[in-house]
Amino acid sequence: MRLLVTWLINAVALMALPFLMSSVAVTNFTTALIAALVLGLVNTLIRPVLVILTLPVTVISLGLFILVINALLFWLVSRWIEGFEVAGFWSAFLAAILYSIISWALSSLLLKDNDGNP
């Protein structure tokens, strides 16, 4: 159940991005659900491999290169999903940061830990 709620939270975060950035477009909630699912799969399967492969650059940049990886993956998913458009790399860079912040904020408000911690 928690996985479904997280998926819905991520879809809502994607739907909020066009209101914050004119360079991001999501046509409808179904597109946001599909894009959130694909983003989750890409971040689960591809991102760890890219982080390991770019570890020297990430260490030299003090971890900031992970933001570039996130932007590239966000942009890649926008190329795969019809109805989810991102104008360019810098738009994807900012959108990935905003998407993470919105998802984190909604998750912290809506999801509670089961171990007694708020």
Side-chain angles (χ1 to χ4, degrees):
M1 187 67 164
R2 186 176 175 93
L3 185 63
L4 289 175
V5 172
T6 302
W7 179 33
L8 288 173
I9 287 171
N10 289 337
V12 169
L14 274 177
M15 286 299 295
L17 284 178
F19 295 104
L20 301 171
M21 299 179 62
S22 61
S23 58
V24 176
V26 180
T27 56
N28 55 35
F29 192 67
T30 304
T31 302
L33 283 171
I34 294 168
L37 178 66
V38 174
L39 273 169
L41 290 173
V42 164
N43 282 330
T44 301
L45 301 173
I46 298 173
R47 186 175 179 265
V49 174
L50 289 177
V51 169
I52 290 171
L53 290 175
T54 60
L55 194 59
V57 177
T58 303
V59 169
I60 290 171
S61 70
L62 302 175
L64 292 177
F65 193 73
I66 290 178
L67 295 174
V68 172
I69 292 172
N70 288 343
L72 287 172
L73 293 176
F74 197 85
W75 195 20
L76 179 69
V77 170
S78 77
R79 297 290 178 208
W80 287 344
I81 306 298
E82 196 168 318
F84 174 46
E85 305 292 329
V86 178
F89 172 77
W90 291 110
S91 295
F93 188 86
L94 183 58
I97 292 171
L98 288 174
Y99 173 71
S100 298
I101 292 170
I102 295 168
S103 295
W104 168 78
L106 289 174
S107 294
S108 66
L109 287 173
L110 299 175
L111 297 175
K112 302 291 180 192
D113 289 338
N114 291 336
D115 60 355
N117 295 331

